[in-house]
């Protein structure tokens, strides 16, 4: 049994055996990168430690001795050798990074004897005393559990007595004193002297690392993160290097490419005679790596650049690297894939492909779909943002930055927009009635509601910024002010919001539009060529449709006809339809809506030439179209009816659970004349466009069925109305009829439905609500608690619940396809734009996803990634 | 190929081939019952007719001739023979009874020549003319489509000219004239004379029957009723018999036993010289069969009684029989199983078993479970009911008759009850706050709400009468009156209601209590011995539990703890818990609730000694416990807080879709202290009772889970709390922990849940709501339309939807059992008391159903029937 691996003996794939850190260090070494020498004790030895009753076996202790010898040979130094001492660090390193375990002990190998010899040899007494006191302190705390404050007290006293502002003020003598005091503390607490045998220091440290695997804190962390308890941790023993031994030493951090722009040029900072922590802590101002190092140490710089190329080639990505130069010798301490902006991510991926380092598929996989929003929406100017301070934070409901004057009323927002004023709409919550104000505003904030609230969904559809569920904001609409954490802000004051972070700022922050770079176009083209899943857009009008085309949508997967019902002139006729007391009155009102719908559809068909357009028939409950009680007098007058009659209508349409009420196809069953009007508008529009040579592919979608009979009942009306018009026109026109699958029952009887339907489109928002029994408008109250207690892994309204809701999608798809092999299956819920959900839909074998136009590019890339990662 | 069957050649099982009517007539004949002779042309010939382009094949026509000859031989009469004419009827008869098809033509075989000869022979000119004109009329209308009004006009003219009040006033001469006129009409409309060839009459009639199978009306009927179009209809050709040829003839209808009491004695009516329709139409007053026939024709009577015994023995049930005596010869025209009261049904079933005619299992199967309610609830006195007239009708929500003074307010109801006044509570809708008024009232009526509204559920639980959704009733609670169809009724007026019919009557109607007969006890004992499914009751307190035991429940399947929260003193503490601003305040309020819950549980456990009691932890959303806005001042005072704070609490707890909101286990996750208090009360009560020697079997049920994590999170609290108390007490106590399965997701992940749970109990009310996406409070609006349009076959809240909701029950049961073979599986939704649902639960293999105590007896019988019918 191999208990220990020298760095270079393992590879990055052996994380289970060597831990993440050990595997990576070993890999670097194997690549010939100058990593400080060391070895890794395997995770198996950790399990062995516990099996052996909480101590290491003699075999391991013997092996450690052997490997220390190997380390001495490699470094040409001796562990405890006062003339040429080998100092080492000991670090834990499990398969998964895990707070709660012992982290690091530095400078092992120092003893009184070694220290005295080093002082003489280096002439740097202060440095040597400092690293010795650090060893005693870390060892005392971490290995033996001595209280940290005992050590700190000593340092504080010295600083106080001498009026030192900082640790850097301390002298060699101060540290010598501290070393003595620390030794006393150690003796008092432990009952014996600080060990002067380096091997004893090492053995005790290894014990401490293994022991820290099973502390309550570590166990709780693993339970919470579902990490098994039987993995164990590895131990890394590595030679110490110091960048602060003089002007021939130094330390730096760098990115192999520019992480903001993606430019292929090393980007980093460097300091001579410094430790890494000096850069990180900001104690000294670091200097530009290139100007500093390439000028002063060109040979060393070239050596570094060669190493960086090697690292990029191996890891196939831009790297974030830490290095130290000790006495003119370069040591790489760490490399990892570097974080970057979306813009840089795309450029780097394309450049790496062009350089032949990665394939197109690997390039696609490098793009973090979550970042793509940054490329499509306005962002704050960095300089302006630095000065701003946010006063509240809500949910990051729809990405992008926006700034404008605050208004609390939708009508006022529309009016101010007309006057040329940019506004942000702040509302307790929004409803379809706010639509004009939402069109006018730069962005929205809501006090209530979650990631799939009305405001959030509309915002994503429009590509506008939205922060929802900002609980700290209390809006008093009538009085025209809001309170945030005790402070009052009036209507008309400037505010700025960032829908990508959920932050809300008082005042104006300049925004800038992102660029749609060539590299991004390239990646999108590659992704389109690779992906299997179709990507369509949800679009309700001409503007959305153009946006959809621009972003690469292959069709429209969802047109919500009701969004067309809210504009001012139309809503009056919609209301007339609702309050109609018989079929004739209702049909008269519908007759007036017909030309509007006709116009809308013609515009959409024209834009979508040759692409499919799926149109959902009227879906929401009728009461959504009726006014609030305070608007009743005005609206009643407009409708030419008594207030009493309008109030009666409002009361009659009240529902206890509107989400489960009289809406969707249920409305259509009660009032088939609405369906007839809508189908007339769709088919007539299609015929007119067809006559103009436009290729029209309408797909008529019946919402919210739970029985096959609802579907067939309405399909009859659709087909009869459509076929009559087509026959009359004498024009060739093909259309499809299908349904939303958005109730659990519809999914369960999918086989029967599929026999009658041309297509299914999963409405996963409603399906999630009903499968869990969670109202998305109300669940916010407890879902946060649920996430905290790990009762749910993520908000199921954002990322599809594969186990439950996904099971229904899977069942319905399989059974539907078995019953009708030509069935087209897609999804048009919010999940259609969520990358992890997209992977699930790919695996389930759906034909397409449909999402807001602004989410289309990310969806295209996610679809390609799903294909690549599930071959 | 056999195209035609003589009566007697087939059996009652051959309905597909011979049609329902033909198969039954054939069966009777085969039993030796004197049925008028005849034959049946098979349904296959109908299909042949269509295959042959809408006409009969020569082979069939030849066969018909052959069978007419056989009929002549059997009857010793000749078809068209003027000396001894054979007259026949032709009737259609499909497998399923089907309006929209041709029904009947009588008296075929009459021609001018035959008529003249018959007149001479019988001397009854009027009779012969009458039957001839009927033939021409029916044949003209049915076979040739002549408009009915042309014939009716002739008769009307005659009656007008002679000032006749009735057809019976018409003379032989009048009918002779009519025959002539009818012939003229026939000739004018058809273009040829009425056929004087009896075989031509017969062929044309057979054509007409087959032709009527494929009319649009018949097709629509079949589509609506899901009857296949390719069954075809049979044709029955049968000898005519006449009970009105003189005093040696007559006609009667009878039940073989008394249909009201079940007494084993023939019960019927008879008239000499009359046709069956004379009795049915009430033209003459029929006489008591026994006194009339047994006295005047003892031999004939004995012959009849022997036949009746034979029929009962064969059909193994009480029969409803029609017969005719023609010239002293007895003919049985029809027999079918007789309708009866619940009381009679039970007695007859038990008697038949005692007489050795049927087995115990067959006896159980004879009881119509839908009727059993009649045996448990008060009913109106017949004599009193006859005089009453209902003014409105709602849903028959909970059976039983009730009478009392109308009140519109629950508090007033409670107060009047205290004063000794019987009251009926009329409310727009009820909520848990009405509970005291509901306890006080004899019965309830609600203006809104369906079969599973709060009022309906509570009423069934209490065994009280309830009419829900009485849309014609408009209640003005404040003014203390209601309007029904324009008429105003004041508080305090007497009303009566029947929850078995949904009818509402002004005034007082005397009610009587039903008897729990010996025979009913017998049937219940038999059913218990046979059934496999356990039957438990839903019971929330001592009173319900006693009722449950009385009616034979084997345990309590559901105790709803929240029902205990509404009584006056308690609700204040519940409200204190709700408005608590921190855990300490909340626990203090809970501490005060504990003794109440403890007392409730002790009472229940005592009654249920040795039987299981399943207790559901708090389920409804908290806002249900808060007052209406108009009660805020009073309640705020009681709670010692500001009105503003109470209003804030009400607003904060408002939900858009409370059914999908913060309730059930979701509440418990947020406030585990509620769970802890409830578990303490349950276990402490159990321990105290156990010390008294009571055998306690508590089962603690966690409601509304949709993830296994919710369940395990709360189970931890339950077990920790319970085990601590048990350990402290040092008493042996076993308890179970399980969960409701009432969200689709819970059903989908049942396998995981089952690993952690001792039992499942399906909450099919919520499961139905979520699977369909129907709010039961709102769906009333469209479900009636749905039933009308056959979009749903029945209200899924009454009878389980086997295809969708049932599929989830089936999946969850199979997967749950596979994961945990000891899993107990039951159902406690409203469907637990519905017979057809019970059959489904039996087939699905559930361990038990649980329903309102008053539904337990019917459930026991339904469970036995399910076992018998699914061996």
């Amino acid at each position: 049994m191999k208990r220990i691996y020298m760095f270079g003996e393992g590879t990055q794939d052996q994380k289970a055996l060597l831990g993440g850190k050990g595997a990576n260090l070993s890999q670097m070494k194997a690549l010939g990168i100058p990593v400080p020498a060391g070895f890794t004790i395997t995770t198996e030895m950790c399990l062995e430690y516990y099996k052996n009753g909480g101590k290491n076996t003699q075999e391991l202790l013997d092996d450690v001795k052997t490997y220390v010898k190997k380390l001495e040979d490699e470094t040409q130094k001796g562990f405890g050798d006062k003339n040429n001492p080998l100092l080492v660090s000991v670090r834990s390193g499990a398969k998964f990074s895990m707070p709660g375990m012992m982290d690091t002990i530095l400078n092992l190998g120092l003893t009184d004897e070694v220290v005295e010899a080093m002082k003489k040899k280096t002439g740097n007494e202060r440095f040597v005393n400092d690293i010795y006191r650090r060893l005693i302190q870390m060892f005392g705390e971490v290995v033996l559990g001595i209280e940290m404050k005992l050590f700190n007290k000593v340092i504080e006293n010295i600083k106080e007595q001498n009026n030192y502002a900082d640790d850097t003020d301390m002298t060699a003598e101060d540290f010598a004193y501290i070393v003595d005091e620390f030794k006393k503390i150690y003796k008092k607490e432990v009952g014996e002297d600080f060990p002067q045998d380096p091997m004893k220091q090492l053995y005790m440290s290894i014990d401490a690392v293994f022991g820290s695997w099973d502390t309550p804190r570590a166990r709780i962390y693993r339970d919470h993160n579902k990490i098994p308890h039987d993995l164990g941790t590895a131990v890394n023993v590595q030679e110490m290097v110091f960048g602060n031994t003089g002007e021939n030493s130094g330390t730096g951090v760098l990115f192999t490419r520019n992480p903001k722009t993606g430019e292929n040029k090393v980007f980093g900072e460097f300091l001579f005679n410094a430790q890494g922590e000096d850069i990180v802590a900001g104690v000294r101002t670091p200097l530009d790596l290139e100007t500093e190092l390439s000028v002063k140490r060109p040979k060393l710089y070239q050596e570094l650049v060669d190493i960086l190329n090697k690292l990029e080639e191996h890891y196939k990505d831009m790297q974030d690297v830490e290095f130290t130069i000790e006495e003119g010798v370069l040591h790489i301490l760490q490399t990892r894939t570097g974080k970057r902006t979306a813009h840089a991510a795309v450029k780097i991926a394309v450049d790496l492909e062009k350089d032949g380092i990665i394939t197109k598929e690997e390039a696609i996989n490098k793009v973090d779909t979550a970042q793509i929003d940054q490329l499509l929406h306005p962002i704050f100017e960095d300089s302006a943002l630095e000065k701003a301070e946010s006063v509240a934070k809500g949910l990051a409901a729809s990405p992008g930055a926006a700034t404008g004057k605050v208004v609390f009323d939708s009508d006022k927002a529309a009016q101010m927009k007309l006057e040329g004023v940019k506004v942000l709409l702040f509302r307790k919550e929004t409803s379809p009635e706010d639509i004009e104000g939402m069109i006018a505003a730069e962005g929205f904030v809501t006090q209530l509601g979650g990631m799939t609230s009305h405001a959030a969904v509309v915002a994503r559809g429009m590509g506008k910024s939205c922060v929802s569920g900002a609980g700290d904001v209390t809006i008093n609409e009538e009085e025209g002010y809001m309170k945030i954490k005790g402070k009052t802000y009036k209507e008309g004051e400037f505010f700025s919001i960032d829908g990508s972070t959920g932050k809300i700022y008082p005042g104006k922050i300049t925004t800038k539009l992102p660029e749609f770079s060539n590299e991004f176009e390239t990646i999108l083209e590659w992704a389109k060529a690779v992906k299997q899943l179709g990507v369509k857009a949800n679009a309700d009008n001409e503007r959305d449709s153009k946006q959809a085309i621009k972003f690469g949508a292959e069709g429209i997967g969802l047109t919500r006809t009701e969004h067309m019902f809210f504009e001012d002139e139309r809503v009056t006729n919609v209301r007339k339809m609702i309050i109609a007391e018989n079929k004739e009155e209702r049909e008269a009102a519908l007759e007036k809506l017909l030309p509007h719908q006709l116009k809308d559809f013609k515009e959409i068909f024209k834009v979508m030439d040759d692409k499919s357009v799926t149109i959902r028939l009227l879906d929401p409950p009728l009461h959504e179209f009726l006014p609030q009680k305070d608007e009743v007098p005005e609206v009643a007058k407009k409708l030419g009816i008594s207030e009493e009659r309008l109030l009666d209508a409002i009361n009659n349409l009240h529902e206890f659970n509107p989400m489960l009420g009289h809406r969707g196809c249920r409305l259509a069953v009660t009032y088939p004349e609405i369906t007839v009007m809508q189908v007339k508008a769709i088919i007539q529009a299609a015929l007119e466009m067809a006559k103009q040579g436009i290729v029209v592919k309408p797909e008529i979608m019946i919402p919210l069925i739970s029985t096959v009979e609802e579907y067939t009942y309405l399909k009859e009306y659709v087909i009869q109305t459509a076929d009559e018009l087509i026959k009359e026109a004498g024009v060739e026109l093909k259309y499809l009829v299908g349904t939303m699958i958005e109730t659990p029952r519809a999914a369960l009887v999918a086989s029967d439905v599929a026999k009658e339907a041309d297509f299914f489109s999963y409405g996963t928002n409603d399906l999630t609500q009903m499968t869990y029994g969670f109202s998305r408008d109300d669940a916010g109250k407890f879902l946060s608690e649920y996430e905290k207690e790990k009762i749910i892994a993520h908000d199921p309204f954002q990322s599809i619940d594969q186990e439950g809701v996904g099971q229904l999608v899977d069942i319905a798809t399989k059974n539907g396809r078995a019953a009708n092999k030509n069935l087209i299956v897609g999804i048009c819920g919010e999940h259609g734009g969520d990358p992890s959900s997209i992977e699930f839909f790919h695996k389930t074998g759906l034909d397409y996803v449909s999402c807001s136009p602004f989410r289309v590019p990310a969806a295209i890339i996610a679809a390609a990634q799903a294909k690549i990662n599930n071959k």
Side-chain angles (χ1 to χ4, degrees), chain A:
Chain A
M1 177 185 252
K2 188 167 171 59
R3 300 181 183 87
I4 302 182
Y5 285 70
M6 286 305 285
F7 290 175
E9 288 190 316
T11 68
Q12 71 204 69
D13 307 324
Q14 289 176 292
K15 291 202 167 94
L17 185 67
L18 305 177
K21 200 175 289 161
N24 275 328
L25 286 166
S26 209
Q27 177 67 61
M28 274 206 281
K29 189 82 171 188
L31 291 174
I33 308 291
V35 174
F39 58 81
T40 304
I41 307 172
T42 68
T43 55
E44 286 169 354
M45 291 303 101
C46 180
L47 306 181
E48 196 80 5
Y49 167 92
Y50 285 103
K51 228 184 281 171
N52 196 34
K55 63 186 181 52
N56 286 310
T57 59
Q58 192 53 49
E59 288 86 349
L60 178 63
L61 298 182
D62 294 345
D63 274 8
V64 170
K65 222 172 257 170
T66 312
Y67 275 79
V68 167
K69 184 80 195 54
K70 287 192 187 186
L71 196 54
E72 288 175 333
D73 291 348
E74 189 176 334
T75 58
Q76 298 288 315
K77 294 176 180 171
F79 198 43
D81 176 347
K82 56 192 174 181
N83 294 318
N84 189 18
L86 169 66
L87 303 188
V88 301
S89 63
V90 168
R91 289 185 171 92
S92 68
K95 181 172 179 188
F96 304 102
S97 163
M98 226 185 81
M101 278 199 318
M102 197 207 89
D103 188 24
T104 303
I105 305 173
L106 301 177
N107 308 334
L108 289 168
L110 286 176
T111 59
D112 291 351
E113 219 181 40
V114 170
V115 163
E116 286 315 311
M118 272 182 80
K119 280 182 197 168
K120 273 176 206 142
K121 194 173 164 202
T122 62
N124 193 339
E125 209 165 309
R126 185 183 181 280
F127 163 69
V128 177
N129 284 337
D130 185 18
I131 64 175
Y132 195 29
R133 69 94 191 172
R134 281 178 197 266
L135 169 62
I136 302 167
Q137 182 175 358
M138 277 193 262
F139 192 89
E141 281 170 21
V142 173
V143 178
L144 291 150
I146 300 172
E147 278 187 275
M148 204 188 314
K149 64 177 182 195
L150 295 176
F151 295 116
N152 287 341
K153 189 85 190 155
V154 175
I155 299 176
E156 278 161 29
N157 284 343
I158 296 240
K159 283 163 79 178
E160 213 170 288
Q161 283 160 21
N162 297 289
N163 275 325
Y164 293 156
D166 214 333
D167 288 9
T168 48
D169 296 333
M170 288 196 286
T171 63
E173 290 69 36
D174 291 335
F175 282 121
Y177 171 76
I178 290 171
V179 166
D180 283 346
E181 290 299 307
F182 279 14
K183 282 187 182 164
K184 283 182 202 158
I185 291 170
Y186 187 97
K187 175 138 199 201
K188 187 168 169 224
E189 296 294 320
V190 181
E192 58 181 46
D193 285 322
F194 177 76
Q196 293 298 318
D197 172 6
M199 278 313 290
K200 186 172 176 191
Q201 291 175 5
L202 182 57
Y203 285 151
M204 285 172 76
S205 298
I206 294 168
D207 274 4
V209 171
F210 285 157
S212 72
W213 172 256
D214 205 36
T215 57
R217 221 184 118 206
R219 281 204 155 257
I220 288 167
Y221 179 86
R222 287 196 296 269
D223 280 339
H224 260 55
N225 292 278
K226 298 189 195 285
I227 297 173
H229 293 299
D230 61 354
L231 296 179
T233 181
V235 180
N236 297 295
V237 178
Q238 187 176 26
E239 180 192 10
M240 292 293 307
V241 291
F242 297 96
N244 54 349
T245 59
E247 287 306 312
N248 203 18
S249 300
T251 193
V253 294
L254 62 82
F255 291 90
T256 53
R257 295 168 191 239
N258 187 311
K260 283 199 165 179
T261 64
E263 193 192 0
N264 189 2
K265 194 156 166 280
V266 175
F267 178 88
E269 294 173 329
F270 183 75
L271 276 177
F272 281 110
N273 195 14
Q275 285 277 59
E277 61 196 56
D278 295 333
I279 293 187
V280 177
V283 176
R284 286 165 57 195
T285 306
L287 303 169
D288 178 61
L289 172 69
E290 207 194 353
T291 50
E292 190 73 357
L293 201 60
S294 74
V295 173
K296 297 190 184 159
R297 296 284 195 287
K299 227 185 104 199
L300 252 175
Y301 184 72
Q302 190 52 49
E303 190 190 338
L304 177 63
V305 168
D306 291 346
I307 289 170
L308 298 182
N309 286 339
K310 200 185 265 181
L311 284 173
E312 270 203 349
E313 237 166 89
H314 177 76
Y315 289 106
K316 300 189 171 185
D317 208 343
M318 182 256 261
Q319 295 293 299
D320 173 355
V321 176
E322 291 176 24
F323 67 96
T324 283
I325 298 168
E326 190 188 55
E327 302 298 335
V329 180
L330 179 63
H331 301 279
I332 303 295
L333 301 182
Q334 179 167 289
T335 190
R336 57 187 167 191
T337 298
K339 292 207 191 315
R340 66 206 76 179
T341 63
H343 189 75
V346 168
K347 179 164 169 50
I348 290 168
V350 172
D351 286 351
L352 287 171
E353 193 272 347
K354 290 202 174 135
D355 293 345
I357 295 174
I358 59 176
T359 64
K360 284 192 177 71
E361 294 197 345
E362 286 167 335
I364 292 168
N365 257 347
K366 288 239 173 297
V367 181
D368 178 0
T369 49
Q371 280 191 316
I372 289 181
D373 282 331
Q374 290 179 22
L375 301 177
L376 309 177
H377 298 276
I379 51 177
F380 289 132
E381 292 273 11
D382 284 350
S383 55
L385 185 60
E386 269 166 29
K387 289 171 224 145
E389 202 164 326
S390 78
V391 290
K393 190 165 181 291
L395 300 171
S398 178
T403 191
K405 287 188 175 177
V406 169
V407 284
F408 304 115
D409 178 275
S410 291
D411 292 342
K412 196 174 272 179
Q415 187 193 321
M416 287 172 74
K417 171 76 174 184
L418 279 178
E419 294 162 6
V421 181
K422 291 198 168 179
V423 295
L424 292 179
L425 184 62
F426 279 59
R427 300 276 297 158
K428 200 160 239 171
E429 62 198 324
T430 64
S431 72
E433 288 185 23
D434 290 309
I435 201 77
E436 291 192 60
M438 296 173 92
I439 292 171
E442 307 298 308
F444 336 127
V445 173
T446 65
Q447 185 178 331
L448 308 173
M451 290 297 290
T452 50
S453 63
H454 177 262
V457 172
V458 172
R460 288 198 288 274
M462 293 181 173
K464 290 196 180 186
S465 170
C466 176
V467 175
S468 66
D472 282 337
V473 178
T474 311
I475 294 170
N476 189 324
E477 185 196 326
E478 283 160 33
E479 306 282 329
Y481 68 84
M482 64 179 166
K483 280 194 169 181
I484 302 178
K485 292 174 186 163
K487 204 171 163 198
T488 303
Y489 300 89
K490 289 206 199 108
E491 195 157 74
E493 289 192 39
F494 267 106
F495 259 77
S496 302
I497 61 173
D498 187 343
S500 311
T501 62
K503 286 187 183 167
I504 299 169
Y505 306 83
K508 203 169 169 173
I509 309 179
T510 327
T511 61
K512 63 175 176 187
L513 276 172
E515 306 143 51
F516 217 64
S517 68
N518 288 339
E519 284 87 356
F520 188 48
E521 300 274 12
T522 305
I523 282 274
L524 276 177
E525 286 314 311
W526 292 349
K528 281 182 194 166
V530 165
K531 77 183 176 54
Q532 179 177 313
L533 205 54
V535 177
K536 301 187 185 185
N538 299 351
D540 302 341
N541 49 44
E542 187 180 18
R543 188 194 63 224
D544 291 355
S545 306
K546 284 181 177 164
Q547 200 70 266
I549 294 281
K550 181 184 155 200
F551 285 143
E554 294 156 45
I556 292 180
L558 176 64
T559 290
R560 284 158 293 215
T561 49
E562 60 271 16
H563 285 190
M564 307 168 173
F565 276 23
F566 280 103
E567 283 167 46
D568 201 41
E569 190 189 344
R570 305 179 181 192
V571 79
T572 299
N573 282 312
V574 173
R575 287 168 177 165
K576 279 189 180 157
M577 171 191 86
I578 294 170
I579 56 158
E581 288 186 333
N582 53 51
K583 201 176 160 188
E584 287 66 39
E585 275 184 41
R586 201 173 304 114
E587 286 181 332
L590 286 167
E591 202 57 45
K592 290 199 179 128
L593 283 171
L594 179 61
H596 295 290
Q597 292 249 296
L598 185 62
K599 178 166 166 285
D600 292 327
F601 294 135
K602 273 159 55 176
E603 288 169 353
I604 293 173
F605 287 141
K606 195 163 192 175
V607 174
M608 299 306 294
D609 187 9
D610 203 29
K611 297 191 171 62
S612 65
V613 178
T614 307
I615 298 166
R616 180 177 71 185
L617 300 178
L618 190 67
D619 186 50
L622 295 182
H623 54 70
E624 285 199 5
F625 299 99
L626 290 182
Q628 296 297 311
K629 289 208 175 163
D630 55 348
E631 295 166 284
V632 162
E634 187 196 340
V635 173
K637 206 188 247 175
K638 231 181 209 169
L639 294 173
I641 59 169
S642 70
E643 291 181 28
E644 199 190 345
R645 186 167 154 202
L646 183 54
L647 277 171
D648 271 359
I650 293 173
N651 288 336
N652 283 339
L653 289 175
H654 169 78
E655 294 187 308
F656 297 99
N657 296 286
M659 199 57 74
L660 308 176
H662 195 195
R663 66 188 193 97
C665 68
R666 302 163 195 174
L667 272 181
V669 170
T670 318
Y671 309 117
E673 48 276 16
I674 301 178
T675 299
V676 169
M677 182 279 282
Q678 293 202 300
V679 173
K680 267 188 194 164
I682 294 167
I683 296 298
Q684 210 166 308
L687 288 168
E688 288 185 32
M689 287 301 105
K691 281 180 197 159
Q692 293 180 22
I694 306 280
V695 181
V696 196
K697 296 177 176 170
E699 306 187 350
I700 297 172
M701 182 151 74
I702 295 169
L704 204 74
I705 67 156
S706 45
T707 70
V708 65
E709 289 81 6
E710 289 171 312
Y711 175 75
T712 50
Y713 182 83
L714 293 170
K715 185 183 152 192
E716 278 290 310
Y717 280 98
V718 172
I719 287 182
Q720 204 179 317
T721 307
D723 287 357
E724 207 168 283
L725 283 172
I726 293 170
K727 200 175 151 196
E728 228 169 66
V731 175
E732 180 98 1
L733 177 71
K734 278 193 182 139
Y735 66 95
L736 304 181
V737 188
T739 184
M740 300 275 285
I741 301 288
E742 50 188 335
T743 69
R745 197 177 187 283
L748 293 167
V749 301
S751 170
D752 292 340
V753 179
K755 284 177 200 141
E756 303 283 340
D758 297 321
F759 63 88
F760 281 178
S761 180
Y762 295 104
T764 48
N765 299 351
D766 272 339
L767 195 58
T768 301
Q769 295 197 87
M770 292 175 200
T771 304
Y772 275 94
F774 286 171
S775 158
R776 69 182 185 196
D777 293 320
D778 303 309
K781 278 183 195 164
F782 55 87
L783 278 189
S784 52
E785 188 79 16
Y786 271 36
E787 284 192 76
K788 208 181 95 201
E789 296 292 344
K790 306 265 171 190
I791 289 172
I792 52 172
H794 57 77
D795 180 346
F797 292 111
Q798 283 185 57
S799 232
I800 194 158
D801 155 46
Q802 299 188 14
E803 197 186 355
V805 180
Q807 192 180 338
L808 287 176
V809 169
D810 192 44
I811 291 171
T813 304
K814 285 209 179 78
N815 293 348
R817 288 248 174 81
N820 173 1
K821 68 179 171 40
N822 297 319
L823 189 75
I824 303 166
V825 184
I827 177 253
C828 63
E830 280 295 308
H831 300 99
D834 171 67
S836 82
S837 306
I838 288 172
E839 175 160 27
F840 173 77
F841 297 131
H842 171 88
K843 287 195 281 188
T844 310
L846 262 51
D847 294 305
Y848 70 88
V849 298
S850 185
C851 55
S852 307
F854 283 87
R855 301 181 86 179
V856 164
I860 289 171
I861 292 174
Q865 291 175 347
K867 175 73 187 295
I868 293 163
N869 299 325
N870 294 281
K871 273 191 177 161

